[in-house]
Structures are given as structure tokens and as C-alpha cells.
Amino acid sequence: MTAPGFDPAALLPDELLERIRSRAATHDRANTFPQQDLDELKAAGYLSILVPRDRGGAGLGLAEASVLQQRLAGAAPATALAINMHLVWTGVAKVLRDRGIDDLAFVQEGAAAGEVFAFGISEAGNDLVLFGSDTDAAPQPDGSYAFTGTKIFTSLAPVWTQLGLHGLDTTSPDAPQMIYAFVGRADAEAGGTLVTRDDWDTLGMRGTQSRTTELHGAVAPPDRVVRRIPPGPNPDPLIFGLFGVFELLLASVYTGIARRALELAVQTAGKRRSKKTGKTYSQDPDIRWRVAEMALAYDALPPQLEAIGRDIDGFVDHGSRWFSLLAGVKHRAVTMAKTVVDDAILVAGGSSYFSGSELSRLYRDVLAGLFHPSDPESAHSTVASAWLGPVDA
């Protein structure tokens, strides 16, 4: 159950969602960032939904944020996915503070003040993800770190103000150490240590503008260096928070896409009419079976997302199964959403094949889910290890 009194329509009103939906096709077609969406969401306080009330936010939990992200994704998947990356950091800050660790207070305060946080973790070919990095993190005499490397899929690229990232310190006496820190955009760009490539030209999720970020000694000051931990799997709450919030909110976006595809299929089935029978396709037994299959698949995910969000917020101890549960819900959400979109296109018929169709855009957008961690191979490996134990050395 979501928190008593929680009203998704109050935080994301229908009229705001309709304005966002009306712009989605243009941003997809023109390959532009949805600046108006961000401005309106920021004005509505959406960027601080996970920030506690005593720091200027809405004080919501992860289960409520999941519902809102599903709702936003139904209007504009790319906008929801871009905002996701900001919400990941505010969600991690919440997970830590809830456990008595206030290392990311500046994230909560910054989000409430209008700062936009981006996620600088992905690197080409780095399947270690959180457990390793090809980015060099060079320690400085004052306790800061200078980062040199290339980050890919940096959503919110045109607008972020703070980049949360990781790198590997290979020179300190206790090296190697993974360094998690935040780099401010203004100082880095002014100093010529950060370059954002204009290289986001993709099949789908075009509005995220997840461009490549080059780091050339970009400095994270001492008070923005939040972790020094050994590489590899680590029980640090920061790692749990990053993995948990990232997987939950990603699953929420793709579940929202599935819901929208199901709605469009239902609408189309009620409008299309068979020349053979004279009846609408909503009366056709094959179409009814297909829509039912879509609904059966979709209906399983929202309760799972709510349960995972509640368990993270409620400190439920799933022990070593946590990572398999999180990877699993993300994998199920993406594969379910892809199947539902495929079926929605079959229900809608040939009109969905035209590029101006919303279903055509959803068909392209949903494919991005296959590339986010945990990818299908990683998810299956994680779940297999949870149930069968690790593979013999």
C-alpha cells in the first residue's frame, strides 16, 4: 500500500502530463532535450519528491516515486528516463539518511534548491558497472580527486549541474580504491576539464539526450568525495542504495510504457471496425485474447514494484537475495514491456507502423531497457548465483 493520503494526480496533474505528452513526439523527431518538461516538473517540485520535508522536499518514499515515474513514463518515456537519473541520486541520499548516514545531505539540499544531478557511471565495455571503473581518479594533496575518463549514456546532458560519478584510484598507498564523488559542471567546463559531446543520435529515448561526457582531470572537491571503497562487490550502503534505487526506478519507467501501450491498444480496439462482421475489434475474440494477455503480463509488475520500494524504505533484510530481487524486477519489467508493446502494435494494425504513431515511438523507446544494467545476461547470472551459489572457480 502506498502512504495514506498519497495522490499521484496532485503531484503530476493530468493537465501537466498532457502538455508533456503533446511535446514528446516533437522532441523525438527533432532529437532535442525536453527543456519545457524539465522546467514544469521543477516548478511542480518533482525533482525533490524524494527529499525529506525538513529539507524542502515532498518527503515521499520509493514506492510513491515508482508510481509517479510510471505515470510520467506513460506521457513521455524519454522525459521520465532522463528525470530518473536525477531521482536515483536523491533516492540514494534518502536510503542513506534513513539509515543514519547523511553523507549526501548536499544532494537533498541541492535538489530542493533546483540543482539537477546526473548519473556518470556507465563506461563503454565496463561490465563491472559499480564494481570497477576505467576512469582514473587521481588523489590531490587537498583531498580532492581529479577524474580522467569517458562516461557514456549521461542523461540530462544539456542541463545537469552536478555529475555523480566513480573512478579508480590506483596510486594511493591503499590502492586500488573505488572513488565515488560529484563534479560541478560550471567549474569543470570553465576549467576545460569537462567536454559534453553532441553525439546522441539513437533509435529511441532520444529526448534523454544521454550524451557522452569526457573528463580531463575534472575535480571533485574534498566535500564532494563521498566514498573510498575497494573494487568489487561491497556491502557499503551506498552501493546497495545505488543498485536498489536505479533498478526500481528503471523498472518503473518501463512498466509505465507498458501501461500506455495497453491503453492505446484498448482505445484502438474500440475504434477499429471489421468489414467482415461490422463490429469493433474489441468484440473480436482474437483481439480480446491478445489484450487479455497484455493485461495479465502488465498487472504483475506494479505490485512487485510497490513491494520492492516498501522493502527498501522499511529496511527489510533480504540478505544475499537483495541483488537478485532487484535485478529480477528490472528484467521482468523490461521484458514484459517489450512484449506488451509488440502486442499493442498487432492490435493497432498497420497504422502503428507509421513514424507518427505513438506506438511506433514506444516500440523504439522500449528497446533501450535491454541495455540498462542489469542486462539480461547479468540478471540471469545474479539470480542463478542467488539460488544455485557461485560458479566453481
Side-chain angles (χ1 to χ4, degrees):
M1 297 276 298
T2 51
F6 171 63
D7 180 8
L11 285 159
L12 271 180
D14 290 341
E15 54 270 25
L16 172 56
L17 288 177
E18 285 307 313
R19 290 195 299 273
I20 289 173
R21 177 177 286 116
S22 72
R23 296 187 285 257
T26 298
H27 290 298
D28 174 70
R29 185 171 55 253
N31 194 28
T32 51
F33 181 77
Q35 183 65 53
Q36 285 180 281
D37 295 359
L38 177 65
D39 292 344
E40 290 201 63
L41 289 167
K42 187 183 289 190
Y46 195 79
L47 270 61
S48 56
I49 55 173
L50 287 167
V51 175
R53 291 182 181 276
D54 63 356
R55 286 186 171 152
L60 298 184
L62 289 170
E64 289 77 25
S66 171
V67 171
L68 290 170
Q69 281 297 90
Q70 292 171 55
R71 188 170 163 83
L72 181 57
T79 296
L81 186 60
I83 297 297
N84 237 36
M85 302 311 167
H86 168 90
L87 294 179
V88 166
W89 283 119
T90 61
V92 173
K94 171 185 164 48
V95 168
L96 293 180
R97 193 191 191 208
D98 286 349
R99 288 155 177 77
I101 306 166
D102 209 14
D103 296 348
L104 296 185
F106 66 90
V107 170
Q108 295 181 331
E109 293 163 354
E115 290 219 65
V116 178
F117 291 84
F119 200 69
I121 301 296
S122 297
E123 298 168 343
N126 179 17
D127 57 357
L128 293 171
V129 193
L130 293 175
F131 303 147
S133 176
D134 294 328
T135 297
D136 179 65
Q140 306 299 300
D142 63 353
S144 63
Y145 270 86
F147 290 84
T148 299
T150 302
K151 301 293 185 177
I152 61 172
F153 298 136
T154 315
S155 299
L156 300 164
V159 297
W160 63 262
T161 60
Q162 295 285 333
L163 180 66
L165 76 170
H166 70 357
L168 188 65
D169 175 359
T170 60
T171 60
S172 292
D174 59 349
Q177 292 287 309
M178 289 293 297
I179 311 301
Y180 285 84
F182 288 78
V183 168
R185 182 178 205 137
D187 290 341
E189 286 186 337
T193 59
L194 184 144
V195 175
T196 300
R197 298 181 194 165
D198 187 6
D199 61 351
W200 189 247
D201 187 7
T202 52
L203 181 66
M205 289 294 187
R206 288 159 65 81
T208 66
Q209 289 301 299
S210 304
R211 304 173 188 176
T212 300
T213 302
E214 299 176 16
L215 304 163
H216 302 280
V219 174
D223 63 346
R224 294 294 187 267
V225 177
V226 296
R227 279 297 183 283
R228 295 183 78 258
I229 54 179
N234 196 293
D236 191 285
L238 179 74
I239 301 301
F240 171 73
L242 278 168
F243 194 81
V245 179
F246 187 86
E247 297 290 78
L248 174 67
L249 294 183
L250 269 180
S252 303
V253 167
Y254 290 97
T255 299
I257 292 175
R259 173 59 184 252
R260 179 59 179 168
L262 178 55
E263 291 172 348
L264 290 171
V266 169
Q267 291 173 17
T268 304
K271 293 176 182 177
R272 292 181 70 198
R273 191 170 294 275
S274 169
K275 292 288 187 180
K276 183 189 300 183
T277 67
K279 296 179 180 180
T280 63
Y281 276 82
S282 62
Q283 301 301 305
D284 182 283
D286 293 331
I287 295 294
R288 294 177 69 85
W289 179 87
R290 192 175 296 281
V291 170
E293 282 286 290
M294 295 164 64
L296 286 167
Y298 163 76
D299 283 343
L301 264 296
Q304 294 179 47
L305 295 173
E306 181 169 342
I308 291 288
R310 286 272 161 258
D311 285 358
I312 295 175
D313 283 340
F315 314 137
V316 173
D317 184 10
H318 289 296
S320 61
R321 288 207 61 214
W322 252 126
F323 285 91
S324 69
L325 292 172
L326 292 163
V329 77
K330 181 268 176 181
H331 175 75
R332 287 191 298 277
V334 169
T335 54
M336 175 276 296
K338 187 176 184 304
T339 299
V340 167
V341 173
D342 286 347
D343 281 342
I345 282 179
L346 290 173
V347 171
S351 64
S352 63
Y353 195 59
F354 285 82
S355 61
S357 163
E358 185 175 353
L359 276 173
S360 172
R361 177 161 46 84
L362 296 184
Y363 183 81
R364 291 181 288 104
D365 283 348
V366 79
L367 292 177
L370 300 174
F371 302 103
H372 301 301
S374 296
D375 63 22
E377 293 78 14
S378 177
H380 281 80
S381 175
T382 300
V383 173
S385 294
W387 286 93
L388 297 171
V391 175
D392 294 340

